[in-house]
Amino acid sequence: MLRVVAREAAKRSRALQLQQQRFLNVHEYQGAQIMSEYGVNVPPGIPVFKADQVAGAAKKMADEAGEVVVKSQILAGGRGLGKFTNGLQGGVHICKADEAPGLASKMLGGTLVTKQTGPKGKPVNTLYIANKMKLKREMYFALLLDRKSAGPVMIGCSEGGTSIEDLAEKFPDKIVKIPIDIRTGITDEQAMQMVEGLKVQTDKKAAAEQIKGLYRLFVEKDCTMVEVNPLAETDKELVAADAKLGFDDNASFRQQDLFAMRDESQEDPREVAAAKYDLNYIGLDGSIGCMVNGAGLAMATMDIIKLRGGSPANFLDVGGNASEDQVVAAFKILTSDPQVKAILVNIFGGIMRCDVIASGIVNAAKQVGVKVGVKVPLIVRLEGTNVERGKEILRSSGMDLITASDLDDAAHKAVCSILPECDESSLKRKL
C-alpha cells in the first residue's frame, strides 16, 4: 500500500513541477502573424471576432472552387476532432464561402471540447478564415529546449499531421534530432541536414532558409517551443500549415508586444488571479482548498490529504516571503471557488512568518464579507517563526477555526470536516 501511495505521490509531484511553470501560448492566427515577420511561409488567413465579419473574410479567402477553411481558435489541440457543447461536431471545417457565415454562427461564442481541454472545454471567441491550400505532403518540425545538450534542439520527421508521440512510435527511424550550440546559432549545414531529413522535394535552399527563419524566431522571441505540425510542402515551397508557439514568461519584460496577446479567456480564472499576485496556483478537481508556503510542503500536504481519503482542490504555494496582500489574494481565490468545501492552511514559519499569514487570513475574511471567519470549515496548522503571535491574532479575531497540532492531524481534520459521519466536537481545539 505504501509503495502505491509513494508512486502516486511521485506522479503528482512531477506533474505539478511541470504545470507550475507558466508559459505564454498564442492562437494559431497570432502565431501565423509572428512567423510571417520572420519570412516563414504561412497559409493566408483572416481572423474574425464577430459574425458580420465572416462573409467578407470568406469571400477574400475562397479558392478556385469557392471553398474556405473555418478554424476555431482555442489554446488546445485536437480541434478538428472536438465537439461543441451545442452539438456541432468538429472545430475545423472546410466549406463553401457562402456557407461560412451560417457555420460560424454555431461556432463563435460556443464552447469547444477536445481531448486536451477537458470536459469543460474552451470558449471560441475568434475564428480563423483561411485559404484552402493544396498540400502535397506533410512533415513535422519543432524547436525545443533540450536539457541534455543545454540548448535548443531541432526535431524533424518526414511524416507529419499527427502528434510527435505517435510519429516516434510509428516511424522511429525517421525522427531527426539536431542540437544547436546557442553561442554560434544554427549553421547552413545544420539547416540543410534538417531539410534532407525531412526529404524536401522542392527548392532545398529555400527550405533551409525557412528552417533558419524559424530558429531566429525561436531565439529572438524567447520561445520555449516552436512546433510546426504539419510543416507542409506544396508544388513550390514549404508552408507552416499549423503551428504552436510557446514563450518564456521570464522574458515578458522584453517581449511586451507578445505578452499583450495573452488571451485570459482561455485560462483558468483562478490561475489568472493568482498570477497577478505572483502566487503559484494550479486548480485541481478536489474539495479541500490548500494554502501552503513552499512547493515541497504543498505537495506533501496534497499527498497526505489524499492518503486520508480526501482530495485537494488546488496547489497553492504562497512562497517563503509572501506579503499580507498576497495572503489576502490567495484566501479570496480559495473562498471564491464553489467546489471548495473546506480550507486547510498549513504554514511552517521559516522565512515566512506565522503572524503575517494569520493577519492575512483575518483581513481576507473581513474583505470577503464574512462576519466571523469563512463559509466553509477552516483548518489551520501554524508552526515556526512568530507562531505564538500568529495564534494570538487568530484567537482574538472571533473566527471559527479548527486547529491542528501537525500535518497528519490537519489532513485528518480537513477530510473529517466535510464528512457528515464525523463528530464535529472532536475537531475543535483551542489555539
Side-chain angles (χ1 to χ4, degrees), residues 24 29 69 97 109 147 208 211 228 245 260 271 335 355 385 406 416:
L24 171 68
Y29 77 93
V69 185
R147 288 189 177 185
I211 299 299
V228 185
L245 309 182
E271 295 182 15
T335 55
D355 58 326
T385 305
D406 54 39
C416 194

Side-chain angles (χ1 to χ4, degrees), residues 79-90:
R79 293 174 297 167
L81 298 176
K83 185 176 182 180
F84 284 87
T85 53
N86 60 16
L88 178 65
Q89 183 67 46

Side-chain angles (χ1 to χ4, degrees), residues 174-187:
K174 295 183 179 182
I175 301 295
V176 180
K177 295 182 180 180
I178 305 175
I180 300 174
D181 188 330
I182 192 67
R183 294 164 294 187
T184 58
I186 189 171
T187 64

Side-chain angles (χ1 to χ4, degrees), residues 18 21-26 140-147 151-155 182 214-228 244-252 254-255 258-259 262:
L18 290 174
Q21 303 172 49
R22 300 190 187 106
F23 295 136
L24 171 68
N25 293 317
V26 296
Y140 176 93
F141 176 81
L143 277 159
L144 305 168
L145 292 172
D146 180 35
R147 288 189 177 185
V153 61
M154 291 193 295
I155 301 176
I182 192 67
L214 288 167
Y215 180 78
R216 289 196 301 273
L217 160 63
F218 182 85
V219 173
E220 294 178 15
K221 293 297 185 182
D222 293 293
C223 292
T224 56
M225 174 184 67
V226 172
E227 183 182 47
V228 185
K244 183 176 182 180
L245 309 182
F247 305 91
D248 189 349
D249 274 14
N250 291 318
S252 60
R254 64 170 170 251
Q255 302 289 355
L258 273 177
F259 280 80
R262 186 187 292 273

